[in-house]
Amino acid sequence: MPIQVEQTEIPAVWSLTVNGQPPYPSIDTMADTGLLRHRPASAASLSWFQTKADTWIFQINQGGLVPLTDAVRRSSADPRAGFLLMIKMIEAIEETIDHLLPVIPELLRPDLLYVSCSANGRDVEYLQIVTLPLLCPEQEAVLVDAEIVRWFGAAFHWDSSVIRKLKDLYEREAFFDLLLELKSLAGEPLTAVEKQREKATAQQDRNARDIHTLPQPEEGRNRLLSHMKTGTTRGGRIAMKIKELARMIFGVQNQEMIHEATEELDLSSDQFQIAQLSQGLPGTPEEEIGHHAYILTEEFVIGRDMSKCDLWIDSPSISRQHAKISRHAGSYFLEDLGSTNGTTLDGLKLTKNREYLLPEKCRVGFAHEVYYFRSG
């Protein structure tokens, strides 16, 4: 669904038009609330309204900020300065995604990236991106346009091989890998959090590869799920988990207390991983107000049948057993169980009866009921 962004005759006022057949993107009420009440520092302050079914007008509240194009004309054009600037852009994208706000590729352009400059007007202190709370549940996955990478390369005289590598990472939306590559090019050290995340990401990639190299036919998948169950019933699996946890923490075995040498528990172990579904945005007061649940079992079923589901959603649009979240080798997977009204992952409709790897933070829709998923 092509998106056209144009500047109007009024300074800092832009229009966004969706060219295509209806249904057009609608306002995502959760993202709308997030931008109005819990806007992260990485998102520019703006106001917006819809003029037609396919057109939105938005105005950026600059407040002393200047477009990146203006800032670059005043700064050094040396390659490292460009790497540092693009690091700030990727960090802003990461923070926006972390707040579960949409990142619209067409709005990631140099004249819509706003920066705060130091007193000398040359050094950029922070950078903000523009995002709008638009959601289109039926959208198809498309490659991200890497025009912004080419602009950086031309403005800061990057080598063509560097541009190609960064462009590839950007088009694949591998933003964290892109951040690591940029820090390496700029000679910037990683923070402790980034080092930890780099290690966790590598492990998750290995786990995902291991899962996808297992037999794919239905009988092979059933054997895998059967092998990974820890009990014949959901209650049995929970009970066995509790017993196992008790043995590890308290040394309880066969109802007797035994003394063991003290050792640190590996909290990164798969046994201690917990995931959460919540209607409210995680990290905000709304998280505790809406419907939420913790995922503590290997198979977590969502649906309208209270007797057969772990998360009960009382809505006629929800199927009796609508979807399932499974945990394999430390990663979480989402599967639509043949529901009538479908399941979405970050706005993309899922194919029925097929597992999809869940990111650590994402938005999941069961029919018209939207939840935030978070793991780790």
Side-chain angles (χ1 to χ4, degrees), residues 254-285:
N254 297 327
Q255 297 181 347
E256 295 181 0
M257 296 295 293
I258 60 174
H259 297 282
E260 297 181 352
T262 302
E263 60 178 336
E264 289 188 6
L265 294 174
D266 181 10
L267 297 180
S268 65
S269 168
D270 177 47
Q271 300 178 45
F272 293 97
Q273 285 194 345
I274 296 177
Q276 177 184 0
L277 281 172
S278 64
Q279 285 183 306
L281 178 66
T284 70

PDB file of all heavy atoms in Angstrom, residues 254-285:
ATOM      1  N   ASN A 254      11.530 -35.896  47.298  1.00  0.00           N
ATOM      2  CA  ASN A 254      10.788 -36.945  47.986  1.00  0.00           C
ATOM      3  C   ASN A 254      10.342 -36.506  49.371  1.00  0.00           C
ATOM      4  O   ASN A 254      10.414 -37.260  50.345  1.00  0.00           O
ATOM      5  CB  ASN A 254      11.633 -38.230  48.092  1.00  0.00           C
ATOM      6  CG  ASN A 254      11.967 -38.794  46.725  1.00  0.00           C
ATOM      7  OD1 ASN A 254      11.176 -38.681  45.787  1.00  0.00           O
ATOM      8  ND2 ASN A 254      13.145 -39.381  46.596  1.00  0.00           N
ATOM      9  N   GLN A 255       9.894 -35.252  49.473  1.00  0.00           N
ATOM     10  CA  GLN A 255       9.340 -34.668  50.687  1.00  0.00           C
ATOM     11  C   GLN A 255      10.350 -34.618  51.831  1.00  0.00           C
ATOM     12  O   GLN A 255       9.998 -34.550  52.989  1.00  0.00           O
ATOM     13  CB  GLN A 255       8.096 -35.441  51.138  1.00  0.00           C
ATOM     14  CG  GLN A 255       6.971 -35.378  50.103  1.00  0.00           C
ATOM     15  CD  GLN A 255       5.745 -36.104  50.559  1.00  0.00           C
ATOM     16  OE1 GLN A 255       5.767 -36.859  51.521  1.00  0.00           O
ATOM     17  NE2 GLN A 255       4.645 -35.868  49.867  1.00  0.00           N
ATOM     18  N   GLU A 256      11.638 -34.681  51.528  1.00  0.00           N
ATOM     19  CA  GLU A 256      12.663 -34.600  52.565  1.00  0.00           C
ATOM     20  C   GLU A 256      13.577 -33.424  52.246  1.00  0.00           C
ATOM     21  O   GLU A 256      13.829 -33.103  51.100  1.00  0.00           O
ATOM     22  CB  GLU A 256      13.487 -35.888  52.622  1.00  0.00           C
ATOM     23  CG  GLU A 256      12.662 -37.105  53.055  1.00  0.00           C
ATOM     24  CD  GLU A 256      13.523 -38.343  53.116  1.00  0.00           C
ATOM     25  OE1 GLU A 256      14.740 -38.221  52.824  1.00  0.00           O
ATOM     26  OE2 GLU A 256      13.001 -39.426  53.435  1.00  0.00           O
ATOM     27  N   MET A 257      14.076 -32.788  53.313  1.00  0.00           N
ATOM     28  CA  MET A 257      15.002 -31.684  53.129  1.00  0.00           C
ATOM     29  C   MET A 257      16.420 -32.233  53.117  1.00  0.00           C
ATOM     30  O   MET A 257      16.811 -33.006  53.995  1.00  0.00           O
ATOM     31  CB  MET A 257      14.855 -30.662  54.269  1.00  0.00           C
ATOM     32  CG  MET A 257      13.502 -29.977  54.307  1.00  0.00           C
ATOM     33  SD  MET A 257      13.210 -28.950  52.862  1.00  0.00           S
ATOM     34  CE  MET A 257      14.437 -27.683  53.120  1.00  0.00           C
ATOM     35  N   ILE A 258      17.201 -31.842  52.121  1.00  0.00           N
ATOM     36  CA  ILE A 258      18.587 -32.245  52.068  1.00  0.00           C
ATOM     37  C   ILE A 258      19.437 -31.001  51.942  1.00  0.00           C
ATOM     38  O   ILE A 258      18.982 -29.957  51.510  1.00  0.00           O
ATOM     39  CB  ILE A 258      18.860 -33.209  50.889  1.00  0.00           C
ATOM     40  CG1 ILE A 258      18.520 -32.507  49.564  1.00  0.00           C
ATOM     41  CG2 ILE A 258      18.070 -34.485  51.031  1.00  0.00           C
ATOM     42  CD1 ILE A 258      18.890 -33.331  48.346  1.00  0.00           C
ATOM     43  N   HIS A 259      20.684 -31.088  52.361  1.00  0.00           N
ATOM     44  CA  HIS A 259      21.593 -29.953  52.310  1.00  0.00           C
ATOM     45  C   HIS A 259      22.514 -30.103  51.110  1.00  0.00           C
ATOM     46  O   HIS A 259      23.143 -31.147  50.924  1.00  0.00           O
ATOM     47  CB  HIS A 259      22.413 -29.881  53.607  1.00  0.00           C
ATOM     48  CG  HIS A 259      21.565 -29.650  54.816  1.00  0.00           C
ATOM     49  ND1 HIS A 259      21.059 -28.423  55.144  1.00  0.00           N
ATOM     50  CD2 HIS A 259      21.096 -30.524  55.764  1.00  0.00           C
ATOM     51  CE1 HIS A 259      20.343 -28.511  56.247  1.00  0.00           C
ATOM     52  NE2 HIS A 259      20.338 -29.772  56.641  1.00  0.00           N
ATOM     53  N   GLU A 260      22.569 -29.058  50.325  1.00  0.00           N
ATOM     54  CA  GLU A 260      23.441 -29.064  49.150  1.00  0.00           C
ATOM     55  C   GLU A 260      24.345 -27.850  49.181  1.00  0.00           C
ATOM     56  O   GLU A 260      24.044 -26.853  49.851  1.00  0.00           O
ATOM     57  CB  GLU A 260      22.602 -29.038  47.858  1.00  0.00           C
ATOM     58  CG  GLU A 260      21.716 -30.263  47.676  1.00  0.00           C
ATOM     59  CD  GLU A 260      20.931 -30.208  46.386  1.00  0.00           C
ATOM     60  OE1 GLU A 260      20.973 -29.143  45.739  1.00  0.00           O
ATOM     61  OE2 GLU A 260      20.292 -31.204  46.033  1.00  0.00           O
ATOM     62  N   ALA A 261      25.436 -27.940  48.449  1.00  0.00           N
ATOM     63  CA  ALA A 261      26.341 -26.798  48.369  1.00  0.00           C
ATOM     64  C   ALA A 261      25.620 -25.641  47.691  1.00  0.00           C
ATOM     65  O   ALA A 261      24.887 -25.820  46.728  1.00  0.00           O
ATOM     66  CB  ALA A 261      27.598 -27.180  47.575  1.00  0.00           C
ATOM     67  N   THR A 262      25.817 -24.434  48.224  1.00  0.00           N
ATOM     68  CA  THR A 262      25.161 -23.249  47.653  1.00  0.00           C
ATOM     69  C   THR A 262      25.763 -22.932  46.290  1.00  0.00           C
ATOM     70  O   THR A 262      26.977 -22.936  46.120  1.00  0.00           O
ATOM     71  CB  THR A 262      25.356 -22.042  48.575  1.00  0.00           C
ATOM     72  OG1 THR A 262      24.812 -22.360  49.850  1.00  0.00           O
ATOM     73  CG2 THR A 262      24.643 -20.817  48.016  1.00  0.00           C
ATOM     74  N   GLU A 263      24.908 -22.662  45.321  1.00  0.00           N
ATOM     75  CA  GLU A 263      25.371 -22.247  43.998  1.00  0.00           C
ATOM     76  C   GLU A 263      24.387 -21.256  43.413  1.00  0.00           C
ATOM     77  O   GLU A 263      23.208 -21.257  43.746  1.00  0.00           O
ATOM     78  CB  GLU A 263      25.517 -23.444  43.053  1.00  0.00           C
ATOM     79  CG  GLU A 263      24.230 -24.207  42.815  1.00  0.00           C
ATOM     80  CD  GLU A 263      24.433 -25.346  41.829  1.00  0.00           C
ATOM     81  OE1 GLU A 263      25.368 -25.266  41.022  1.00  0.00           O
ATOM     82  OE2 GLU A 263      23.652 -26.297  41.871  1.00  0.00           O
ATOM     83  N   GLU A 264      24.894 -20.371  42.557  1.00  0.00           N
ATOM     84  CA  GLU A 264      24.040 -19.364  41.949  1.00  0.00           C
ATOM     85  C   GLU A 264      23.126 -20.001  40.910  1.00  0.00           C
ATOM     86  O   GLU A 264      23.516 -20.887  40.174  1.00  0.00           O
ATOM     87  CB  GLU A 264      24.883 -18.278  41.279  1.00  0.00           C
ATOM     88  CG  GLU A 264      25.611 -17.388  42.264  1.00  0.00           C
ATOM     89  CD  GLU A 264      26.275 -16.224  41.561  1.00  0.00           C
ATOM     90  OE1 GLU A 264      26.063 -16.073  40.340  1.00  0.00           O
ATOM     91  OE2 GLU A 264      26.992 -15.474  42.219  1.00  0.00           O
ATOM     92  N   LEU A 265      21.870 -19.539  40.900  1.00  0.00           N
ATOM     93  CA  LEU A 265      20.929 -19.997  39.893  1.00  0.00           C
ATOM     94  C   LEU A 265      21.145 -19.204  38.601  1.00  0.00           C
ATOM     95  O   LEU A 265      21.363 -17.997  38.650  1.00  0.00           O
ATOM     96  CB  LEU A 265      19.488 -19.797  40.375  1.00  0.00           C
ATOM     97  CG  LEU A 265      19.069 -20.635  41.582  1.00  0.00           C
ATOM     98  CD1 LEU A 265      17.676 -20.200  42.016  1.00  0.00           C
ATOM     99  CD2 LEU A 265      19.077 -22.112  41.256  1.00  0.00           C
ATOM    100  N   ASP A 266      21.085 -19.888  37.488  1.00  0.00           N
ATOM    101  CA  ASP A 266      21.197 -19.224  36.189  1.00  0.00           C
ATOM    102  C   ASP A 266      19.827 -18.694  35.798  1.00  0.00           C
ATOM    103  O   ASP A 266      18.994 -19.407  35.260  1.00  0.00           O
ATOM    104  CB  ASP A 266      21.701 -20.223  35.136  1.00  0.00           C
ATOM    105  CG  ASP A 266      21.849 -19.571  33.770  1.00  0.00           C
ATOM    106  OD1 ASP A 266      21.737 -18.326  33.699  1.00  0.00           O
ATOM    107  OD2 ASP A 266      22.066 -20.299  32.787  1.00  0.00           O
ATOM    108  N   LEU A 267      19.582 -17.401  36.099  1.00  0.00           N
ATOM    109  CA  LEU A 267      18.272 -16.825  35.835  1.00  0.00           C
ATOM    110  C   LEU A 267      18.008 -16.624  34.349  1.00  0.00           C
ATOM    111  O   LEU A 267      16.884 -16.315  33.960  1.00  0.00           O
ATOM    112  CB  LEU A 267      18.129 -15.486  36.577  1.00  0.00           C
ATOM    113  CG  LEU A 267      18.186 -15.606  38.102  1.00  0.00           C
ATOM    114  CD1 LEU A 267      18.025 -14.227  38.725  1.00  0.00           C
ATOM    115  CD2 LEU A 267      17.128 -16.552  38.627  1.00  0.00           C
ATOM    116  N   SER A 268      19.044 -16.781  33.523  1.00  0.00           N
ATOM    117  CA  SER A 268      18.824 -16.695  32.077  1.00  0.00           C
ATOM    118  C   SER A 268      18.342 -18.028  31.517  1.00  0.00           C
ATOM    119  O   SER A 268      18.010 -18.133  30.349  1.00  0.00           O
ATOM    120  CB  SER A 268      20.133 -16.287  31.371  1.00  0.00           C
ATOM    121  OG  SER A 268      21.115 -17.303  31.530  1.00  0.00           O
ATOM    122  N   SER A 269      18.302 -19.060  32.379  1.00  0.00           N
ATOM    123  CA  SER A 269      17.876 -20.376  31.942  1.00  0.00           C
ATOM    124  C   SER A 269      16.439 -20.342  31.451  1.00  0.00           C
ATOM    125  O   SER A 269      15.604 -19.571  31.928  1.00  0.00           O
ATOM    126  CB  SER A 269      18.002 -21.379  33.094  1.00  0.00           C
ATOM    127  OG  SER A 269      17.340 -22.592  32.788  1.00  0.00           O
ATOM    128  N   ASP A 270      16.125 -21.229  30.520  1.00  0.00           N
ATOM    129  CA  ASP A 270      14.772 -21.324  29.975  1.00  0.00           C
ATOM    130  C   ASP A 270      13.746 -21.607  31.068  1.00  0.00           C
ATOM    131  O   ASP A 270      12.587 -21.234  30.957  1.00  0.00           O
ATOM    132  CB  ASP A 270      14.756 -22.435  28.919  1.00  0.00           C
ATOM    133  CG  ASP A 270      13.380 -22.676  28.348  1.00  0.00           C
ATOM    134  OD1 ASP A 270      12.722 -21.688  28.005  1.00  0.00           O
ATOM    135  OD2 ASP A 270      12.971 -23.845  28.258  1.00  0.00           O
ATOM    136  N   GLN A 271      14.175 -22.268  32.165  1.00  0.00           N
ATOM    137  CA  GLN A 271      13.230 -22.627  33.213  1.00  0.00           C
ATOM    138  C   GLN A 271      12.664 -21.407  33.924  1.00  0.00           C
ATOM    139  O   GLN A 271      11.625 -21.488  34.557  1.00  0.00           O
ATOM    140  CB  GLN A 271      13.926 -23.533  34.235  1.00  0.00           C
ATOM    141  CG  GLN A 271      14.454 -24.826  33.625  1.00  0.00           C
ATOM    142  CD  GLN A 271      15.165 -25.664  34.657  1.00  0.00           C
ATOM    143  OE1 GLN A 271      14.662 -25.830  35.760  1.00  0.00           O
ATOM    144  NE2 GLN A 271      16.327 -26.182  34.314  1.00  0.00           N
ATOM    145  N   PHE A 272      13.325 -20.270  33.863  1.00  0.00           N
ATOM    146  CA  PHE A 272      12.883 -19.091  34.588  1.00  0.00           C
ATOM    147  C   PHE A 272      12.295 -18.018  33.669  1.00  0.00           C
ATOM    148  O   PHE A 272      12.019 -16.927  34.110  1.00  0.00           O
ATOM    149  CB  PHE A 272      14.049 -18.498  35.390  1.00  0.00           C
ATOM    150  CG  PHE A 272      14.504 -19.407  36.506  1.00  0.00           C
ATOM    151  CD1 PHE A 272      15.573 -20.247  36.312  1.00  0.00           C
ATOM    152  CD2 PHE A 272      13.843 -19.428  37.715  1.00  0.00           C
ATOM    153  CE1 PHE A 272      15.993 -21.088  37.326  1.00  0.00           C
ATOM    154  CE2 PHE A 272      14.258 -20.268  38.729  1.00  0.00           C
ATOM    155  CZ  PHE A 272      15.338 -21.110  38.537  1.00  0.00           C
ATOM    156  N   GLN A 273      12.119 -18.348  32.386  1.00  0.00           N
ATOM    157  CA  GLN A 273      11.582 -17.357  31.476  1.00  0.00           C
ATOM    158  C   GLN A 273      10.077 -17.216  31.659  1.00  0.00           C
ATOM    159  O   GLN A 273       9.363 -18.206  31.795  1.00  0.00           O
ATOM    160  CB  GLN A 273      11.893 -17.738  30.032  1.00  0.00           C
ATOM    161  CG  GLN A 273      13.331 -17.489  29.646  1.00  0.00           C
ATOM    162  CD  GLN A 273      13.533 -17.550  28.159  1.00  0.00           C
ATOM    163  OE1 GLN A 273      12.682 -18.032  27.440  1.00  0.00           O
ATOM    164  NE2 GLN A 273      14.666 -17.059  27.687  1.00  0.00           N
ATOM    165  N   ILE A 274       9.614 -15.983  31.684  1.00  0.00           N
ATOM    166  CA  ILE A 274       8.192 -15.690  31.827  1.00  0.00           C
ATOM    167  C   ILE A 274       7.814 -14.681  30.754  1.00  0.00           C
ATOM    168  O   ILE A 274       8.538 -13.731  30.494  1.00  0.00           O
ATOM    169  CB  ILE A 274       7.876 -15.123  33.226  1.00  0.00           C
ATOM    170  CG1 ILE A 274       8.164 -16.168  34.307  1.00  0.00           C
ATOM    171  CG2 ILE A 274       6.410 -14.690  33.317  1.00  0.00           C
ATOM    172  CD1 ILE A 274       7.947 -15.654  35.710  1.00  0.00           C
ATOM    173  N   ALA A 275       6.671 -14.903  30.144  1.00  0.00           N
ATOM    174  CA  ALA A 275       6.145 -13.960  29.164  1.00  0.00           C
ATOM    175  C   ALA A 275       4.801 -13.429  29.666  1.00  0.00           C
ATOM    176  O   ALA A 275       4.178 -14.008  30.549  1.00  0.00           O
ATOM    177  CB  ALA A 275       5.976 -14.633  27.808  1.00  0.00           C
ATOM    178  N   GLN A 276       4.368 -12.317  29.076  1.00  0.00           N
ATOM    179  CA  GLN A 276       3.152 -11.668  29.544  1.00  0.00           C
ATOM    180  C   GLN A 276       2.330 -11.155  28.365  1.00  0.00           C
ATOM    181  O   GLN A 276       2.867 -10.697  27.367  1.00  0.00           O
ATOM    182  CB  GLN A 276       3.512 -10.493  30.466  1.00  0.00           C
ATOM    183  CG  GLN A 276       2.321  -9.691  30.959  1.00  0.00           C
ATOM    184  CD  GLN A 276       2.731  -8.489  31.781  1.00  0.00           C
ATOM    185  OE1 GLN A 276       3.916  -8.257  31.983  1.00  0.00           O
ATOM    186  NE2 GLN A 276       1.773  -7.724  32.238  1.00  0.00           N
ATOM    187  N   LEU A 277       1.006 -11.253  28.504  1.00  0.00           N
ATOM    188  CA  LEU A 277       0.064 -10.629  27.598  1.00  0.00           C
ATOM    189  C   LEU A 277      -0.722  -9.588  28.382  1.00  0.00           C
ATOM    190  O   LEU A 277      -1.217  -9.883  29.479  1.00  0.00           O
ATOM    191  CB  LEU A 277      -0.914 -11.654  27.017  1.00  0.00           C
ATOM    192  CG  LEU A 277      -0.433 -12.542  25.861  1.00  0.00           C
ATOM    193  CD1 LEU A 277      -1.488 -13.608  25.563  1.00  0.00           C
ATOM    194  CD2 LEU A 277      -0.155 -11.724  24.610  1.00  0.00           C
ATOM    195  N   SER A 278      -0.824  -8.382  27.855  1.00  0.00           N
ATOM    196  CA  SER A 278      -1.586  -7.342  28.564  1.00  0.00           C
ATOM    197  C   SER A 278      -2.284  -6.442  27.556  1.00  0.00           C
ATOM    198  O   SER A 278      -1.760  -6.176  26.472  1.00  0.00           O
ATOM    199  CB  SER A 278      -0.663  -6.509  29.459  1.00  0.00           C
ATOM    200  OG  SER A 278       0.289  -5.806  28.693  1.00  0.00           O
ATOM    201  N   GLN A 279      -3.475  -5.984  27.927  1.00  0.00           N
ATOM    202  CA  GLN A 279      -4.199  -5.056  27.070  1.00  0.00           C
ATOM    203  C   GLN A 279      -3.611  -3.653  27.154  1.00  0.00           C
ATOM    204  O   GLN A 279      -3.638  -2.904  26.187  1.00  0.00           O
ATOM    205  CB  GLN A 279      -5.679  -5.026  27.460  1.00  0.00           C
ATOM    206  CG  GLN A 279      -6.456  -6.254  27.009  1.00  0.00           C
ATOM    207  CD  GLN A 279      -7.926  -6.145  27.356  1.00  0.00           C
ATOM    208  OE1 GLN A 279      -8.283  -5.912  28.499  1.00  0.00           O
ATOM    209  NE2 GLN A 279      -8.785  -6.321  26.364  1.00  0.00           N
ATOM    210  N   GLY A 280      -3.080  -3.291  28.330  1.00  0.00           N
ATOM    211  CA  GLY A 280      -2.453  -1.992  28.507  1.00  0.00           C
ATOM    212  C   GLY A 280      -1.004  -2.014  28.081  1.00  0.00           C
ATOM    213  O   GLY A 280      -0.328  -3.047  28.134  1.00  0.00           O
ATOM    214  N   LEU A 281      -0.490  -0.876  27.643  1.00  0.00           N
ATOM    215  CA  LEU A 281       0.899  -0.773  27.210  1.00  0.00           C
ATOM    216  C   LEU A 281       1.835  -1.051  28.371  1.00  0.00           C
ATOM    217  O   LEU A 281       1.740  -0.420  29.427  1.00  0.00           O
ATOM    218  CB  LEU A 281       1.163   0.632  26.661  1.00  0.00           C
ATOM    219  CG  LEU A 281       2.588   0.929  26.197  1.00  0.00           C
ATOM    220  CD1 LEU A 281       2.932   0.075  24.988  1.00  0.00           C
ATOM    221  CD2 LEU A 281       2.740   2.406  25.848  1.00  0.00           C
ATOM    222  N   PRO A 282       2.753  -2.030  28.246  1.00  0.00           N
ATOM    223  CA  PRO A 282       3.698  -2.335  29.328  1.00  0.00           C
ATOM    224  C   PRO A 282       4.504  -1.116  29.742  1.00  0.00           C
ATOM    225  O   PRO A 282       4.932  -0.316  28.915  1.00  0.00           O
ATOM    226  CB  PRO A 282       4.603  -3.413  28.702  1.00  0.00           C
ATOM    227  CG  PRO A 282       3.759  -4.047  27.649  1.00  0.00           C
ATOM    228  CD  PRO A 282       2.910  -2.940  27.103  1.00  0.00           C
ATOM    229  N   GLY A 283       4.689  -0.972  31.055  1.00  0.00           N
ATOM    230  CA  GLY A 283       5.454   0.153  31.574  1.00  0.00           C
ATOM    231  C   GLY A 283       4.634   1.403  31.800  1.00  0.00           C
ATOM    232  O   GLY A 283       5.176   2.435  32.191  1.00  0.00           O
ATOM    233  N   THR A 284       3.316   1.338  31.561  1.00  0.00           N
ATOM    234  CA  THR A 284       2.444   2.483  31.794  1.00  0.00           C
ATOM    235  C   THR A 284       1.355   2.082  32.791  1.00  0.00           C
ATOM    236  O   THR A 284       1.118   0.889  33.019  1.00  0.00           O
ATOM    237  CB  THR A 284       1.771   2.960  30.492  1.00  0.00           C
ATOM    238  OG1 THR A 284       0.806   1.964  30.079  1.00  0.00           O
ATOM    239  CG2 THR A 284       2.793   3.153  29.390  1.00  0.00           C
ATOM    240  N   PRO A 285       0.669   3.052  33.406  1.00  0.00           N
ATOM    241  CA  PRO A 285      -0.400   2.716  34.358  1.00  0.00           C
ATOM    242  C   PRO A 285      -1.496   1.852  33.738  1.00  0.00           C
ATOM    243  O   PRO A 285      -2.130   1.062  34.434  1.00  0.00           O
ATOM    244  CB  PRO A 285      -0.946   4.094  34.765  1.00  0.00           C
ATOM    245  CG  PRO A 285       0.194   5.032  34.546  1.00  0.00           C
ATOM    246  CD  PRO A 285       0.922   4.500  33.361  1.00  0.00           C
TER     247      PRO A 285
END
